[in-house]
């Protein structure tokens, strides 16, 4: 039996969440003595793929065929089912990303494999796999056990400690047996370049209604720039059209889990917290000392955002020698 | 063409989450039940598209897997404008079970477009929509942020890392939708509420499914340590703490 990890990449580079997923697989591999097989679909060169071996993948199946580069959920499900059989796998890991969420549930139905989605920690036990997942928008955790022979997990960011465990790796360029027969067609792609991708950012700077208007975002943007951070906002900010919907975080927006979340002029409504409570550290700046955000924050500054932001930018610049 | 919108019946987003003594079940005392927020957006967009389609879209139905106590939520969907409703009379155990039930009805009733939300705000599985598609062996498009229907053709936009893709897709398909397909959900007007009373809710029994997962227990997050308050003029100190103590920069 083996463990499969679906590795995502962009522009030839592996995503951080994919390395995390292999590190997670290692926790299962150590307990069950199963080898880790990483699957990559895309044009990722061997040197980059070899990074997966640093975290314990002993085999990499690399699908580089052009046809497969367009993501179609149904076709990718077939591909992964094929590889699961070929590698005699009983555990399949995905990131809880857009792609993971699109494929893992379909694969669960196809393979009749129990799905635990949004896992937040390494398994409590391994036979059967029992792991903790997020429920009620982060207000609770739920312990779930898989009853079927095969198990599929999608992993939240920060679900395990990333430990290196370099091994020798064998890269197999694989030509899928099943043909690519997608009935979805990508008509056009609209990519925003140069922006830090919010759901993958280590640091996120976020502004709320306390900033009064969309014209007041220069400081937020500068702060994000200094920290190489992603930009986010509360729902009223995007509803008002001050910022685009892509930046809206919270229960009805994006759910993020950066190392550091800096909330400025955000009161900390429960629906907002639902999208950011997975952050390792929360910093809040708000002029109201009783704002609920301070109940969730690790560090807080009570003060006027327009006074605090320039100072904060200077302090971070000093720290970064900028 | 016919559109089916999946609606979850979930605790209102302001609900204080508490469990029974065994930490097995949600304490539902005083809980307000609502249409899952994304499903409300999906329903709103489905109705907009129907109205613009010049009759090409004949009807918008809603479906819920739930016991009779979910009916007020279903009635609300009818009051917002859905033409009719299906309820599969069963405890919504998990995404796999729910999807199996919905797929069964969708197949029998020949729906062309099935809309599901990106996740239900109770269990957050983010799985039901994709599972329905696999049960039916049809297409699914996830992370859909825009949905248009022009001259009988569907055009979807889906979110990808740092951008968007415009996708065309053959029917039947499932779209798993999120913020962007519309901004504000439609609210039921008095007339809608009156009309909803006479709209049909077709109740059926669940089909058998395999049990693939078992819920053990819930657990609440550890209370957070008190927030460290830093003087507004001491931003250097905050930076030191983030570096030295929290180790996040
Ligand atoms: C079903 C549902 C889903 C929702 N989903 C989401 C969601 O996904 N995400 C989300 O964010 N919200 C969501 N909401 C809305 C949520 O309830 C709050 O209304 C929203 O989060 C408030 O946004 P805010 O904190 O920016 O604004 P406010 O609550 O108005 O807070 C502004 C804060 O700024 C402070 N402030 C004002 N001036 C200054 C200044 N000069 N300097 C410093 N501080 C200042 C104020 O003291 C206040 O604390 C949802 C609501 C519902 C009902
Ligand atoms: N009990 C239910 N009845 C009907 N649809 C549901 C139910 N639960 C979830 N859904 C649909 O599936 C989506 C995703 O839910 P989930 O996979 O449970 O996170 C929701 O947004 C709904 O559209």
């Amino acid at each position: 039996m083996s463990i499969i990890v679906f590795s995502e990449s962009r522009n030839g580079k592996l995503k951080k969440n994919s390395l995390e997923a292999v590190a997670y697989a290692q926790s299962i591999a150590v307990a069950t003595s199963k080898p880790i097989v990483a699957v990559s679909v895309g044009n990722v060169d061997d040197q980059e793929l070899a990074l997966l071996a640093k975290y314990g993948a002993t085999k990499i199946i690399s699908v580089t065929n052009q046809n497969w580069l367009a993501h179609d959920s149904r076709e990718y499900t077939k591909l992964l089912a094929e590889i699961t059989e070929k590698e005699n796998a009983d555990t399949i890991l995905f990131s809880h990303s857009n792609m993971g969420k699109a494929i893992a549930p379909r694969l669960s139905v196809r393979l009749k494999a129990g799905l635990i989605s949004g896992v937040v920690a390494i398994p409590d036990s391994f036979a059967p796999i029992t792991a903790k997942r997020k429920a009620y928008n982060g207000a609770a955790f739920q312990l779930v056990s898989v009853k079927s022979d095969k198990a599929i997990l999608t992993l939240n960011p920060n679900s395990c400690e990333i430990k290196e465990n370099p091994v020798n790796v064998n890269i197999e360029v694989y030509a899928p047996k099943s043909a690519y027969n997608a009935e979805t067609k990508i008509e056009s792609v609209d990519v925003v370049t140069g922006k830090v991708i919010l759901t993958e950012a280590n640091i996120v700077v976020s502004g709320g209604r306390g900033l009064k208007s969309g014209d007041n975002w220069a400081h937020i943007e500068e702060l994000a720039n200094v920290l190489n951070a992603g930009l986010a906002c509360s729902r009223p900010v995007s509803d008002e059209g001050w910022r685009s919907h892509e930046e809206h975080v919270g229960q009805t927006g994006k759910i993020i889990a950066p190392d550091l979340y800096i909330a400025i002029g955000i009161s900390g409504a429960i629906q907002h917290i639902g999208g950011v409570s997975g952050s390792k550290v929360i910093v809040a700046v708000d002029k109201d000392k009783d704002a609920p955000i301070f109940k969730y924050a690790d560090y807080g500054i009570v003060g006027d955002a327009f006074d605090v932001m320039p100072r904060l930018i200077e302090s971070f610049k000093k720290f970064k020698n900028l | 063409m016919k559109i089916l919108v999946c609606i979850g019946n979930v605790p209102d987003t302001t609900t204080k989450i508490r469990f029974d003594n065994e930490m097995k079940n949600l304490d539902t005392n005083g809980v307000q039940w609502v249409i899952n927020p994304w499903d409300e957006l999906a329903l709103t967009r489905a109705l907009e598209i129907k109205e613009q389609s010049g009759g090409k879209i004949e009807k918008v139905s809603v479906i819920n897997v739930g016991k009779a106590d979910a009916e007020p939520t279903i009635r609300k969907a009818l009051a917002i404008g859905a033409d009719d409703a299906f309820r599969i009379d069963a405890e919504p155990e998990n995404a796999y079970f729910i999807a199996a039930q919905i797929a069964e009805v969708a197949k029998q009733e020949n729906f062309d477009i099935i809309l599901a939300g990106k996740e239900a705000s109770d269990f957050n599985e983010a799985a039901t929509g994709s599972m329905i598609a696999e049960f039916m062996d049809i297409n699914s498009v996830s992370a859909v942020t825009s949905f248009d229907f022009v001259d009988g053709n569907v055009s979807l936009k889906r979110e990808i890392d740092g951008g968007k893709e415009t996708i065309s897709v053959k029917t039947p398909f499932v779209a798993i939708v999120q913020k962007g397909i519309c901004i504000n959900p439609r609210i039921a007007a008095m007339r809608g509420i009156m009309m909803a009373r006479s709209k049909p809710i077709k109740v059926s029994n669940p089909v058998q499914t395999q049990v693939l997962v078992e819920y053990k227990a819930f657990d609440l997050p550890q209370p957070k340590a008190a927030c460290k308050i830093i003087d507004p003029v001491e931003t250097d100190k905050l930076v030191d703490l983030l570096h030295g103590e929290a180790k996040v920069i």
Side-chain angles (χ1 to χ4, degrees):
Chain A
M1 288 293 168
S2 65
I3 306 164
I4 283 180
V5 180
F6 181 70
S7 308
E8 297 177 33
S9 58
R10 183 176 48 252
N11 303 332
K13 294 273 170 245
L14 292 165
K15 293 208 225 163
K16 183 182 157 214
N17 60 16
S18 299
L19 300 176
E20 244 178 48
V22 178
Y24 189 99
Q26 215 192 112
S27 71
I28 305 178
V30 167
T32 60
S33 313
K34 291 173 193 164
I36 301 171
V37 180
V39 177
S40 159
V41 183
N43 289 320
V44 187
D45 66 28
D46 285 5
Q47 197 190 338
E48 179 73 12
L49 284 177
L51 272 179
L52 295 163
K54 238 168 82 178
Y55 301 95
T58 49
K59 179 171 182 181
I60 295 162
I61 295 187
S62 174
V63 176
T64 54
N65 184 317
Q66 278 305 112
N67 285 344
W68 286 91
L69 301 192
H71 160 232
D72 175 88
S73 307
R74 194 183 186 187
E75 296 304 300
Y76 269 45
T77 303
K78 281 185 203 153
L79 175 64
L80 278 149
E82 178 182 319
I83 295 173
T84 301
E85 191 182 307
K86 163 175 141 62
E87 294 301 320
N88 191 20
D90 67 354
T91 312
I92 305 128
L93 305 182
F94 293 85
S95 300
H96 196 62
S97 58
N98 277 346
M99 221 187 230
K101 285 184 272 190
I103 309 167
R106 292 196 71 133
L107 194 62
S108 162
V109 172
R110 195 171 187 96
L111 301 178
K112 296 210 164 27
L115 169 71
I116 313 182
S117 76
V119 169
V120 294
I122 61 168
D124 277 31
S125 62
F126 297 92
I129 287 200
T130 303
K132 216 186 232 193
R133 60 179 300 277
K134 205 177 99 163
Y136 294 104
N137 314 309
F141 299 111
Q142 186 183 31
L143 196 62
V144 180
S145 206
V146 170
K147 298 256 118 193
S148 48
D149 297 339
K150 294 190 178 73
I152 301 178
L153 274 58
T154 67
L155 311 170
N156 264 331
N158 304 327
S159 55
C160 73
E161 212 181 310
I162 304 191
K163 274 194 235 127
E164 289 193 13
N165 172 34
V167 290
N168 287 328
V169 69
N170 158 26
I171 300 177
E172 176 185 338
V173 176
Y174 183 66
K177 286 202 197 68
S178 52
Y180 183 82
N181 278 329
E183 292 177 346
T184 56
K185 191 162 160 255
I186 299 172
E187 303 286 349
S188 63
V189 189
D190 205 349
V191 186
V192 188
T193 47
K195 259 214 239 168
V196 178
I197 293 165
L198 179 53
T199 46
E200 290 172 22
N202 292 327
I203 302 178
V204 172
V205 180
S206 186
R209 192 149 56 185
L211 293 172
K212 305 288 187 294
S213 136
D215 300 332
N216 293 335
W217 241 258
H219 287 313
I220 299 273
E221 282 174 338
E222 190 179 355
L223 191 54
N225 210 0
V226 170
L227 291 169
N228 192 26
L231 283 166
C233 68
S234 67
R235 173 161 137 174
V237 167
S238 69
D239 282 359
E240 292 290 334
W242 297 357
R243 303 293 298 178
S244 97
H245 301 304
E246 276 93 66
E247 292 182 10
H248 161 195
V249 295
Q251 205 186 322
T252 44
K254 287 208 170 73
I255 292 157
I256 56 171
D259 290 341
L260 174 60
Y261 180 69
I262 304 180
I264 299 178
I266 293 176
S267 63
I270 188 78
Q271 298 94 345
H272 185 83
I273 299 302
V276 302
S277 61
S279 311
K280 250 189 223 155
V281 171
I282 297 179
V283 170
V285 178
D286 200 291
K287 70 174 183 192
D288 175 8
K289 71 171 179 23
D290 296 321
I293 188 80
F294 292 118
K295 280 194 295 195
Y296 306 98
D298 300 276
Y299 302 98
I301 293 182
V302 180
D304 191 297
F306 297 99
D307 297 336
V308 176
M309 283 191 292
R311 267 194 232 116
L312 206 50
I313 291 165
E314 281 319 304
S315 299
F316 279 122
K317 274 189 176 165
K318 216 176 350 165
F319 171 75
K320 296 229 157 184
N321 289 322
L322 292 173
Chain B
M1 274 213 217
K2 299 194 289 183
I3 303 183
L4 181 65
V5 182
C6 306
I7 55 166
N9 174 40
V10 297
D12 169 42
T13 51
T14 55
T15 304
K16 174 107 183 96
I17 301 300
R18 281 191 239 97
F19 298 96
D20 61 12
N21 288 336
E22 289 79 46
M23 294 300 281
K24 284 269 192 190
N25 299 298
L26 183 73
D27 176 356
T28 54
N29 270 320
V31 171
Q32 297 268 7
W33 297 87
V34 298
I35 304 176
N36 187 46
W38 283 292
D39 307 348
E40 229 177 354
L41 296 179
L43 175 58
T44 302
R45 188 64 189 144
L47 294 170
E48 286 170 3
I49 287 171
K50 179 185 153 200
E51 287 153 14
Q52 294 160 11
S53 75
K56 284 217 175 92
I57 292 173
E58 310 135 55
K59 78 168 186 166
V60 173
S61 307
V62 293
I63 186 164
N64 172 261
V65 179
K67 302 297 280 184
D69 56 11
E71 293 224 348
T73 296
I74 300 174
R75 284 274 170 228
K76 199 173 149 203
L78 293 170
I80 291 169
D83 297 296
D84 58 10
F86 296 87
R87 180 170 69 82
I88 290 90
D89 188 31
E91 213 49 72
E93 304 267 347
N94 53 51
Y96 186 83
F97 175 82
I98 295 166
Q101 308 308 327
I102 295 175
E104 198 63 28
V105 174
K107 256 187 274 181
Q108 271 168 23
E109 304 278 332
N110 290 313
F111 280 98
D112 306 278
I113 300 174
I114 300 161
L115 301 180
K118 93 175 208 181
E119 66 178 51
S121 64
D122 48 7
F123 286 4
N124 313 142
E125 284 201 81
T128 304
S130 299
M131 284 181 167
I132 295 170
E134 187 67 26
F135 272 117
M136 298 176 72
D137 194 18
I138 61 173
N139 300 307
S140 59
V141 183
S142 290
V144 171
T145 56
S146 142
F147 182 169
D148 285 297
F149 185 79
V150 186
D151 304 330
N153 293 315
V154 173
S155 166
L156 304 173
K157 283 199 170 78
R158 80 170 166 206
E159 182 183 84
I160 53 166
D161 300 332
K164 278 187 195 121
E165 283 173 350
T166 303
I167 309 255
S168 61
V169 55
K170 277 196 199 154
T171 55
F173 68 88
V174 180
I176 295 110
V177 304
Q178 61 191 51
K179 178 91 186 284
I181 54 152
C182 73
I183 308 301
N184 289 309
R186 236 178 231 196
I187 292 165
M190 202 53 203
R191 201 175 111 80
I193 296 168
M194 301 294 289
M195 278 167 58
R197 290 193 190 144
S198 57
K199 287 181 181 170
I201 301 180
K202 202 166 162 189
V203 180
S204 59
N205 288 318
V207 291
Q208 284 268 338
T209 63
Q210 263 177 288
V211 177
L212 302 181
V213 292
E214 183 192 1
Y215 293 151
K216 296 292 198 190
F218 287 100
D219 170 8
L220 295 169
Q222 296 297 320
K224 250 196 149 154
C227 178
K228 278 195 186 160
I229 297 291
I230 290 127
D231 195 279
V233 295
E234 293 190 326
T235 49
D236 280 354
K237 189 174 148 198
L238 174 64
V239 172
D240 279 350
L241 287 167
L242 291 175
H243 177 64
E245 187 178 76
K247 299 191 169 57
V248 286
I249 59 168

